[in-house]
Amino acid sequence: MCKRLAIYDFDGTLVDSSHRYKTTLCEDGIERIDLAYWIANEKLTMGDTLLPLMETFYNDCKNPEVIVVIATARIWCDLTVEFCERYSINPDYIIARQDRNDTRGGAQLKLQGLEFVTKTHKPETIEVYEDNLQYLATMCKALNAVGHFFPSNQGH
């Protein structure tokens, strides 16, 4: 029985990938991730490091009453798989972009992926761990979830 669904963002929440991250000021005046820079530096994925929240993540993964999900706007490439294997990052589900053609907003991507998980497991409570306040608010409202905000320089 699933008592709790724990949804973790990846970059800036579980993993520090800021060494290959920067933002740009867009024409609309909003600062956003510089996707061209991110893509060009994807080859540096193995230099990402674990953040302190990983301890909570690992504990949740050991708890049979918790379904653990990584929900990220990152493309889940071979290097990300290798990184996760290196650090024994094994959630029950991974929600991520499959390729560069997926241009959905991050919150939309995550919520659409979570539809199957919430319908399948029907958790008593849902917790969201996120470094993007807009995504966190959107997800908590849609899922009736408890939110945990982890400020980072990657929460754009």
Side-chain angles (χ1 to χ4, degrees):
M1 168 181 233
C2 174
K3 290 194 180 264
R4 185 165 65 91
L5 177 62
I7 304 163
Y8 291 88
D9 177 47
F10 201 64
D11 297 292
T13 306
L14 291 177
V15 174
D16 182 357
S17 53
S18 61
H19 66 101
R20 56 192 186 90
Y21 176 93
K22 74 176 187 175
T23 59
T24 187
L25 192 59
C26 297
E27 290 179 11
D28 60 6
I30 297 175
E31 185 179 17
R32 292 189 176 89
I33 182 174
D34 183 336
L35 286 175
Y37 184 83
W38 176 261
I39 292 166
N41 288 286
E42 189 174 68
K43 63 187 176 283
L44 303 174
T45 297
M46 295 310 288
D48 294 356
T49 57
L50 303 181
L51 290 170
L53 187 60
M54 283 302 302
E55 182 177 347
T56 302
F57 172 87
Y58 286 133
N59 287 335
D60 279 345
C61 287
K62 293 177 197 172
N63 186 337
E65 295 182 337
V66 179
I67 298 297
V68 179
V69 177
I70 289 177
T72 179
R74 168 195 284 225
I75 292 174
W76 209 256
C77 67
D78 290 343
L79 284 172
T80 302
V81 171
E82 184 179 343
F83 179 87
C84 288
E85 288 172 353
R86 174 184 287 177
Y87 294 103
S88 300
I89 300 172
N90 299 306
D92 297 297
Y93 296 94
I94 297 170
I95 297 164
R97 295 185 198 285
Q98 299 304 306
D99 58 44
R100 301 207 195 290
N101 295 322
D102 186 347
T103 59
R104 291 176 288 174
Q108 179 189 18
L109 169 91
K110 294 175 183 191
L111 286 171
Q112 287 177 344
L114 287 164
E115 285 178 20
F116 170 80
V117 179
T118 57
K119 287 178 183 175
T120 301
H121 296 284
K122 298 179 177 59
E124 293 176 15
T125 61
I126 300 174
E127 295 189 49
V128 179
Y129 301 85
E130 177 67 65
D131 70 333
N132 181 305
L133 274 174
Q134 183 180 3
Y135 291 3
L136 183 64
T138 300
M139 293 173 67
C140 286
K141 183 177 180 182
L143 299 168
N144 191 28
V146 174
H148 303 278
F149 178 62
F150 290 85
S152 83
N153 66 341
Q154 298 182 248
H156 292 92

